[in-house]
Amino acid sequence: MLKLIRLNGEPLYVNYLQVLYVERIPETKVKLTTGDYYLVKNTLDDIEEQVRREMHEILTFKGKDKPENSDSAV
């Protein structure tokens, strides 16, 4: 989940898979696949870094539910 900060300072958590696009107008506008959009304080770089971190955790299996003994053959 992405942690976004609305313009009024309240946090908003968004599933990064539902982000259609992000643009700067000069605020940051995050448009979702549902058609909803949010104006947030986060920078484009911050949002990009959060998405990279989420993808890295998924692709390297570094989530909380990783098995202790991952060296065994399947």
Side-chain angles (χ1 to χ4, degrees):
M1 298 288 273
L2 300 177
K3 181 180 181 182
L4 305 175
I5 305 298
R6 293 179 184 223
L7 295 180
N8 66 3
E10 292 189 22
L12 171 70
Y13 295 90
V14 174
N15 182 336
Y16 73 96
L17 294 173
Q18 292 194 325
V19 173
L20 187 59
Y21 66 81
V22 178
E23 67 178 313
R24 191 176 6 208
I25 58 168
E27 305 87 2
T28 304
K29 178 180 179 180
V30 179
K31 177 136 185 187
L32 305 181
T33 57
T34 62
D36 296 333
Y37 70 89
Y38 299 97
L39 299 178
V40 298
K41 291 182 178 182
N42 303 69
T43 64
L44 294 172
D45 291 336
D46 174 54
I47 294 171
E48 182 180 4
E49 179 58 32
Q50 287 188 58
V51 171
R52 285 179 191 267
R53 232 180 338 209
E54 290 285 327
M55 292 299 295
H56 179 74
E57 286 183 15
I58 290 170
L59 295 174
T60 59
F61 301 104
K62 291 192 177 184
K64 295 176 183 172
D65 296 307
K66 182 179 177 185
E68 291 296 323
N69 186 2
S70 60
D71 294 334
S72 61
V74 178

